Amino acid sequence: MEQNEQKKTVFSAVQPTGTPTIGNYIGAMKNFVAMQDEHDCIYAVADLHSLTVDIAPAVLRKNVTEMTALFLAIGIDPEKSVFFVQSHVHEHAELTWILNCYTQFGEARRMTQFKEKSAKAPENVNVGLFDYPSLMAADILLYQTDLVPIGKDQMQHLELSRTIAERFNNRNGATFKVPEGVLPKYGKKIQSLGNPSAKMSKSSADANSYVLVLDTPEEIRRKFKRAVTDSDACIRYDPETKPGVSNLLTIYSAFTGKDMAASEKDFGGKDYAYLKDSVSDAVIEGLRPIKERYEKLIADKAYLTAVMKKGAESASYRARRTMSKVWRKLGFVRP
Ligand code: TYM
C-alpha cells in the first residue's frame, strides 16, 4: 500500500503580494498548519497568479523568498507537507490551458474578484486576470485534492474549480477528484479595522485598516486602538448590527482558541478600550513566535532555496502523474 493512501489530500496557496494580513492567517494559513498532522498536505506560493496585477520583478523575487520563510515560520514543516513555488512546476501552466477550454466565458466573467479587480485597475484588465480561476483550478486539480482550506472570498473560485472538474470528468471519464472548500470555524472573512463592512485587505489605501503578521507590537496596538466599533458600549457577537465589535471578538477567538461564548464571557461588563487591549495582547502573543522564527529563516537563503527545490521535486512528480492521465484522456499524442 502506498504511503498516505488513507489520508485526504489538502491543497492551498497564497499569492506573494507582500506580508500576509491576519485575515490571510486566520482565514487560511492557520488551517494549513492545523491540517498538517492528519492529512497529506500540499501548499504553494502562487507566484504565477501575482502577475495578474502589476508587480515589479525585484518585488516579486523578494516576495517569493519572504513568503517561503513565512510559510515555514507559521509552522509548515517541509518534512510533513509538500511546500513549493507554483512556477517551479510547469504542469500548472499546462493544465491551465486545458482547463481554459473547459471554462465558459460567462462563468469567468461572473467572478466577483474579476469584477472588483477590473474596477479597481481599469487600465490593466488583462486576460490573465480573467483567466485567474482556471489557473487556480489547475493548482487544485493537479494534485487530486480532497480539501482546500481557504477564506470566504475564494469560495466562488473553488466552486468554479468543482464545476470545471465535473465538466471534464463528464466528457472524458473520471480524471479529477472534485475538491471541497474548508472554511475556518472563526474568521472566514476578517473585516477591515477601519470599515468593518469590508474585507481586511492589504490593498486597502488605509494602512491602519489591516494588521500584517510581521507588524511590530506597537503597530498592532495602534491599529486596534483605532479600530471602528459602535456607540452602544456592549460587547457581544452580532455581526449584523455590531460588525466592528464582532470582528474584534472573532480575531480574539481565533488567536486564543476560545469559542465565541467563552470570548464574550471574557468581556462581560468591560469597555471597548479593554476589548481592544485584550485583542492586541492575544494577537501580539500569537504572532511573536512566528516573527522570531521568520527572522532566523529569512537570514538563511540557502536553506530556503533547498526547501523550494525539494518541494518542487515532490510536487512535480505528483503533477506529472495527473498530467499524463489528462493527455491520454484527451487523445494527445505524446513523444
Ligand atoms: P490570497 O493570496 O488573496 O489569500 C490567501 C488566503 O487568505 C484568505 N483571505 C482571507 N480570509 C479571511 N479574511 C480575510 N480578510 C482574508 N483575506 C484573504 C483567502 O481566502 C485565501 O485563502 N487565489 C488565491 C491563491 C490561490 C489558491 C490556489 C488558493 C492560488 N491557487 C489554489 C487555494 C487553492 C488568492 O489569491 O489568495
Side-chain angles (χ1 to χ4, degrees):
M1 191 192 291
E2 226 182 274
Q3 200 193 357
N4 294 338
E5 204 165 79
Q6 316 287 351
K7 291 187 176 180
K8 291 205 164 175
T9 300
V10 173
F11 181 92
S12 198
V14 180
Q15 287 198 65
T17 43
T19 308
T21 66
I22 56 168
N24 298 127
Y25 179 65
I26 296 172
M29 299 175 85
K30 208 163 161 278
N31 248 347
F32 297 177
V33 183
M35 293 174 100
Q36 213 175 204
D37 289 326
E38 272 183 49
H39 303 294
D40 173 25
C41 295
I42 307 173
Y43 298 120
V45 177
D47 56 347
L48 293 172
H49 274 104
S50 63
L51 214 57
T52 56
V53 296
D54 198 11
I55 185 162
V59 174
L60 178 60
R61 201 170 292 128
K62 182 169 170 283
N63 286 358
V64 169
T65 308
E66 290 179 355
M67 189 58 90
T68 299
L70 202 76
F71 260 92
L72 304 179
I74 61 165
I76 298 304
D77 177 352
E79 299 298 322
K80 278 191 207 157
S81 301
V82 175
F83 167 79
F84 72 105
V85 177
Q86 186 188 36
S87 67
H88 297 178
V89 179
H90 59 75
E91 283 81 1
H92 289 253
E94 290 173 6
L95 184 58
T96 301
W97 171 253
I98 289 171
L99 299 184
N100 278 339
C101 305
Y102 285 79
T103 309
Q104 293 302 305
F105 185 86
E107 288 168 337
R109 189 176 44 191
R110 276 196 291 278
M111 292 295 109
T112 307
Q113 261 195 13
F114 172 67
K115 290 192 248 175
E116 282 174 3
K117 288 189 180 174
S118 354
K120 219 168 167 182
E123 74 295 346
N124 188 21
V125 185
N126 58 77
V127 176
L129 192 63
F130 182 71
D131 190 32
Y132 182 115
S134 303
L135 176 57
M136 184 160 155
D139 296 343
I140 298 167
L141 302 183
L142 263 182
Y143 300 98
Q144 305 296 346
T145 301
D146 297 287
L147 304 172
V148 185
I150 39 175
K152 189 166 171 245
D153 64 325
Q154 292 299 328
M155 219 21 150
Q156 196 185 28
H157 291 157
L158 192 270
E159 288 298 332
L160 183 53
S161 300
R162 290 170 55 89
T163 303
I164 295 170
E166 281 164 356
R167 185 174 292 140
F168 190 102
N169 289 347
N170 285 339
R171 283 200 213 153
N172 305 298
T175 308
F176 298 120
K177 267 217 179 122
V178 181
E180 271 170 48
V182 177
L183 295 171
K185 185 166 180 213
Y186 297 117
K188 60 180 185 284
K189 187 176 175 205
I190 296 296
Q191 306 293 57
S192 153
L193 299 183
N195 172 13
S197 60
K199 183 185 77 167
M200 180 182 284
S201 164
K202 60 181 168 289
S203 60
S204 159
D206 174 11
N208 287 313
S209 72
Y210 53 83
V211 173
L212 300 175
V213 296
L214 298 175
D215 274 350
T216 62
E218 296 71 37
E219 285 167 326
I220 295 173
R221 237 175 250 293
R222 192 194 67 232
K223 290 177 182 181
F224 279 116
K225 260 206 182 91
R226 298 169 61 128
V228 169
T229 48
D230 53 50
S231 54
D232 78 5
C234 164
I235 301 176
R236 80 192 141 78
Y237 183 75
D238 180 354
E240 290 298 311
T241 61
K242 299 174 68 64
V245 168
S246 303
N247 192 39
L248 294 175
L249 282 170
T250 301
I251 296 170
Y252 182 81
S253 287
F255 272 92
T256 56
K258 294 185 182 182
D259 68 19
M260 194 50 75
S263 294
E264 280 182 320
K265 222 163 155 203
D266 282 355
F267 299 108
K270 304 287 191 198
D271 62 13
Y272 288 172
Y274 181 86
L275 170 67
K276 290 175 172 183
D277 257 349
S278 308
V279 177
S280 302
D281 289 342
V283 172
I284 291 167
E285 280 319 304
L287 294 179
R288 190 189 306 279
I290 295 178
K291 264 172 81 89
E292 285 170 6
R293 284 195 292 268
Y294 177 84
E295 296 306 335
K296 287 200 188 103
L297 286 157
I298 198 66
D300 193 350
K301 298 286 189 308
Y303 174 66
L304 298 178
T305 307
V307 168
M308 289 184 210
K309 188 162 181 282
K310 177 174 170 275
E313 280 162 12
S314 317
S316 289
Y317 173 75
R318 299 173 65 146
R320 271 202 305 276
R321 288 212 306 200
T322 298
M323 275 317 285
S324 69
K325 203 163 155 190
V326 168
W327 296 127
R328 185 162 33 82
K329 295 253 185 192
L330 292 175
F332 279 84
V333 175
R334 303 299 292 159

